[in-house]
Amino acid sequence: MRLIPILFLFISSFSIAQNNYPQDYFRSPLDITLMLSGTFAELRSNHFHSGLDIKTQQRVGLNVYASASGFVSRIKISHFGYGKALYITHPNGYTTVYAHLNKFSPDIEAYVKKHQYEKESFEIELFPNAGDLKIKKGAIVALSGNTGGSGGPHLHFEIRDKAERPINPMLFGIDIKDSVNPIISSIYAYPINENSFINKSNSKRELRLIPLKNGDYAVENIEAFGKIGFGIETIDRQNLTANKNGVYNIQTFVNGNKNFELDFRRFSFSETKHLNRLIDYEHYKTKKSRIQKLFNQNNPLSLYKDVLNDGILHIKDSTYSVYKIKVGDFENNNTWATVTIKGSKIDSIKSEPKKTTPYFINTNETTNLKKGKVSVDFYKDTFYDNFYIDFDVKNDTLLLHKDIIPTKKSFTISYDVSAYSDKDKSKLYIARLLGYKKFPAYSSTKRKGNLLTTYTRTLGEFALATDTIKPTITPINFKKGQWLSNFRYLKIKIDDKGSGISNYRATVNGIWILMEYDYKTKTLIHDFNDGLITETKNNLKLIVTDNVGNNSTFETVFYRK
């Protein structure tokens, strides 16, 4: 019985082994044994992971090396996302990306700080000329860190092509020790329409997995009829870590014929949003786990390969079919699951009644929903499917369906606040209500006259919220009048309990100083080695403003020799 899977393994291994990417061009960006906390194209919230997350021994400050010669083509520093990120373009057309850095090498650091002081901004994006910052392969370009949206110290490393499409760095010879087969945790069967059923039901069904001695799985036999599809929850692990990482390839076969493949070797940033269509989005939002659908429902992802009939099976009465799933990692460690399907038509099936509301979304049309002072505008192709949407407004709270339907793009929510006084409306913002306690999370709000507007890609509950509380400013490592001659850094904590911090500005003796902001620790840090503070007596002034304009001012005096 293992001959057919072995034949499949040989054929698929041959196709995966075809690799046109240079193998000896890029070196490792770190001088340690590489262990991953995140793999390429791993499923993340609303996007595919665009690189490798390489562990840095649970600390910051490891040397980061240029993977190949080239020039620094882009530098971006942001509070969130990649934090401090460096982009190096190479003569062969590829670009390597190094993110969540703690510091750049001295020449790059000096280049960046020069521009930060010129623009008086910590957040900055620079595009140096090809001759400005030339880099040799193996040169130290940065120190690893934990900046931006990083959940812990690591190096995020990417390789992109000329079209800015990220490609799995392992295709270029970046070696990760891995002899561990992927793990399948669950398999689901889906009726595709109202005339399809699985085990006499028209609803999604989780199927019982039966582990086999060789590491593969048998799946309970099912009876089905009509158009059906399957979904899978699966992860991969490498030898040296226990992290639950993403897989490299998934293929399915029906009666020996390949009918579907997900190939996670390259994608474009413009399509990464379609991850929410690849997964069972409602299941993810309600159960917090990601089922990858092994069939395509109007999804333009380029990850699909060799898709026959959208990966959907058409099961006829009095037939037997064998459905096989092969999950593989980059090192071609594979795990198989086999489902036997008996085609059996029945006269009536149990179907869940379809819910209707007064509001219908036709994805081919623009839709405006309005009640009272609130309006919602969905543009053409906001959603993948037509559906009845829940819509209601109670006081200033907007009930806009449940967040169980994926979107392709943003839509607009608008509030008419003309009924509020000028004083009150200046402190209003649109908030998304989160969790059981309906916590009001700031949604970026634009103001034009009496209209407040936000753009979002997420359904759910929204409301007008008020923020009259000023941000707080607390010195961490100094007091008023203190001598700081032996201090390297000046540290201040800033926080805001309402709409969140929008911006800050610090000066010493009237001159702007650079203060790096870490939103995770809510800390501002100035490095005295910038050399800007040369006086003995120094007047520090810090102004912090939140997203509705409340601001706080902190002033103090410190001394240095």
Side-chain angles (χ1 to χ4, degrees), residues 270-471:
S270 63
E271 64 177 330
T272 190
K273 61 189 176 185
H274 298 300
L275 174 144
N276 287 339
R277 182 64 164 180
L278 168 65
I279 65 173
D280 183 332
Y281 187 72
E282 180 175 356
H283 185 94
Y284 169 63
K285 299 304 290 190
T286 55
K287 306 292 185 181
K288 305 306 178 185
S289 61
R290 295 182 177 94
I291 303 171
Q292 299 180 64
K293 293 183 289 187
L294 305 179
F295 54 96
N296 184 5
Q297 292 178 300
N298 188 29
N299 192 337
L301 276 177
S302 65
L303 303 177
Y304 296 119
K305 309 292 181 185
D306 298 333
V307 176
L308 181 64
N309 298 323
D310 292 327
I312 294 170
L313 288 66
H314 192 166
I315 305 300
K316 297 181 179 180
D317 189 27
S318 303
T319 61
Y320 280 90
S321 302
V322 177
Y323 181 78
K324 290 182 176 290
I325 306 171
K326 190 190 82 169
V327 182
D329 62 23
F330 183 83
E331 295 297 337
N332 212 17
N333 303 301
N334 300 302
T335 301
W336 289 80
T338 303
V339 188
T340 300
I341 307 165
K342 177 183 178 182
S344 179
K345 186 177 182 180
I346 59 177
D347 294 331
S348 62
I349 58 176
K350 181 181 179 182
S351 300
E352 294 185 4
K354 287 191 173 183
K355 180 180 179 180
T356 62
T357 74
Y359 309 101
F360 184 72
I361 299 295
N362 185 334
T363 189
N364 292 320
E365 299 175 355
T366 296
T367 303
N368 172 263
L369 305 177
K370 183 174 176 59
K371 183 176 180 181
K373 301 293 186 179
V374 182
S375 64
V376 182
D377 289 294
F378 296 112
Y379 310 104
K380 182 180 177 181
D381 291 327
T382 297
F383 299 98
Y384 295 90
D385 299 315
N386 302 336
F387 69 104
Y388 287 95
I389 190 170
D390 288 320
F391 170 75
D392 197 9
V393 177
K394 297 179 179 178
N395 298 320
D396 285 332
T397 299
L398 166 64
L399 307 173
L400 193 60
H401 214 80
K402 292 181 179 178
D403 180 21
I404 57 174
I405 297 177
T407 60
K408 291 184 184 180
K409 56 188 178 183
S410 297
F411 55 91
T412 304
I413 298 172
S414 299
Y415 276 81
D416 181 347
V417 295
S418 56
Y420 288 84
S421 69
D422 290 342
K423 180 181 177 181
D424 289 341
K425 72 178 63 170
S426 67
K427 303 303 179 185
L428 292 173
Y429 63 96
I430 300 174
R432 183 160 178 251
L433 303 182
L434 301 178
Y436 176 76
K437 294 185 178 181
K438 308 295 183 185
F439 175 80
Y442 176 78
S443 183
S444 183
T445 304
K446 294 186 177 180
R447 305 168 186 271
K448 187 175 181 180
N450 289 318
L451 200 65
L452 298 186
T453 302
T454 191
Y455 298 91
T456 180
R457 286 184 54 201
T458 306
L459 299 172
E461 291 188 56
F462 297 82
L464 279 184
T466 301
D467 180 6
T468 59
I469 301 174
K470 295 181 178 182

Side-chain angles (χ1 to χ4, degrees), residues 35-322:
M35 295 183 286
L36 301 184
S37 57
T39 50
F40 182 81
E42 192 169 273
L43 309 183
R44 300 286 179 90
S45 294
N46 302 315
H47 69 283
F48 296 102
H49 187 233
S50 56
L52 301 178
D53 280 349
I54 306 173
K55 294 190 174 190
T56 55
Q57 302 172 338
Q58 299 181 336
R59 60 194 177 99
V60 303
L62 297 188
N63 289 337
V64 177
Y65 300 90
S67 283
S69 297
F71 67 93
V72 176
S73 55
R74 183 184 179 195
I75 305 166
K76 186 173 182 181
I77 298 178
S78 54
H79 297 149
F80 310 104
Y82 282 7
K84 293 184 178 182
L86 187 70
Y87 300 70
I88 301 176
T89 295
H90 308 284
N92 65 353
Y94 293 101
T95 296
T96 50
V97 182
Y98 315 76
H100 305 307
L101 304 171
N102 186 49
K103 282 187 177 297
F104 303 110
S105 63
D107 55 338
I108 300 174
E109 188 81 8
Y111 179 92
V112 171
K113 285 198 173 184
K114 175 179 179 293
H115 287 84
Q116 286 176 315
Y117 274 99
E118 286 177 355
K119 297 188 176 183
E120 297 190 355
S121 175
F122 167 60
E123 289 194 300
I124 199 166
E125 185 170 16
L126 303 170
F127 297 91
N129 295 320
D132 289 345
L133 296 168
K134 293 182 178 180
I135 301 294
K136 292 291 186 181
K137 183 176 182 177
I140 297 173
V141 293
L143 300 179
S144 66
N146 186 31
T147 57
S150 171
H154 72 277
L155 174 68
H156 174 90
F157 176 69
E158 297 179 18
I159 300 179
R160 299 183 185 181
D161 64 14
K162 291 180 180 179
E164 282 292 302
R165 293 175 298 189
I167 304 167
N168 191 334
M170 296 172 72
L171 287 163
F172 296 84
I174 302 297
D175 184 44
I176 308 296
K177 293 181 180 180
D178 185 0
S179 60
V180 182
N181 287 2
I183 298 168
I184 298 174
S185 56
S186 63
I187 292 176
Y188 290 79
Y190 289 79
I192 300 302
N193 57 38
E194 64 274 9
N195 298 317
S196 307
F197 73 89
I198 297 159
N199 292 343
K200 300 181 181 180
S201 172
N202 189 236
S203 302
K204 174 180 73 178
R205 285 286 177 264
E206 183 175 4
L207 307 181
R208 182 169 59 91
L209 288 175
I210 305 166
L212 303 178
K213 291 183 179 180
N214 64 358
D216 293 338
Y217 298 86
V219 184
E220 66 170 295
N221 297 341
I222 63 171
E223 291 188 2
F225 182 80
K227 294 181 178 181
I228 67 170
F230 290 87
I232 188 171
E233 287 186 282
T234 182
I235 62 164
D236 188 39
R237 284 198 168 109
Q238 288 85 43
N239 288 24
L240 302 176
T241 68
N243 294 76
K244 298 177 180 179
N245 293 330
V247 301
Y248 179 68
N249 186 273
I250 305 175
Q251 300 178 23
T252 68
F253 306 85
V254 181
N255 297 330
N257 298 310
K258 185 178 177 182
N259 80 319
F260 184 86
E261 180 177 357
L262 280 169
D263 180 21
F264 296 102
R265 65 173 54 201
R266 186 185 73 183
F267 62 87
S268 64
F269 287 108
S270 63
E271 64 177 330
T272 190
K273 61 189 176 185
H274 298 300
L275 174 144
N276 287 339
R277 182 64 164 180
L278 168 65
I279 65 173
D280 183 332
Y281 187 72
E282 180 175 356
H283 185 94
Y284 169 63
K285 299 304 290 190
T286 55
K287 306 292 185 181
K288 305 306 178 185
S289 61
R290 295 182 177 94
I291 303 171
Q292 299 180 64
K293 293 183 289 187
L294 305 179
F295 54 96
N296 184 5
Q297 292 178 300
N298 188 29
N299 192 337
L301 276 177
S302 65
L303 303 177
Y304 296 119
K305 309 292 181 185
D306 298 333
V307 176
L308 181 64
N309 298 323
D310 292 327
I312 294 170
L313 288 66
H314 192 166
I315 305 300
K316 297 181 179 180
D317 189 27
S318 303
T319 61
Y320 280 90
S321 302
V322 177

